[in-house]
């Protein structure tokens, strides 16, 4: 039943964000090493919460 409802509501050619990101990273020539380097940098930097006052 859910499958029938999903197929009737969601178009088959809709944009799938995961597939789109993979395609973009392949076009840019990014490798797993690039993503690992980004993860290491983000792990080292602390974030400061926003202050709205």
């Amino acid at each position: 039943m859910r499958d029938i409802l999903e197929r009737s509501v969601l178009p088959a050619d809709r944009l799938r964000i995961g597939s789109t990101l993979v395609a973009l990273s392949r076009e840019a020539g990014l490798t797993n090493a690039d993503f690992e380097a980004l993860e290491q940098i983000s792990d080292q930097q602390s974030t400061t919460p926003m202050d709205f006052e």
Side-chain angles (χ1 to χ4, degrees):
M1 185 73 151
R2 289 182 185 171
D3 188 46
I4 294 169
L5 288 172
E6 184 176 338
R7 283 186 282 156
S8 66
V9 174
L10 298 175
D13 59 345
R14 71 184 184 272
L15 177 67
R16 294 178 182 246
I17 191 73
S19 301
T20 303
L21 290 174
V22 168
L24 286 172
S25 64
R26 285 185 181 150
E27 285 180 29
L30 297 176
T31 65
N32 286 341
D34 296 321
F35 287 104
E36 289 170 5
L38 290 171
E39 286 178 2
Q40 289 175 355
I41 292 170
S42 68
D43 289 344
Q44 294 173 357
Q45 296 177 352
S46 64
T47 57
T48 305
M50 292 179 68
D51 186 13
F52 294 104
E53 293 183 15

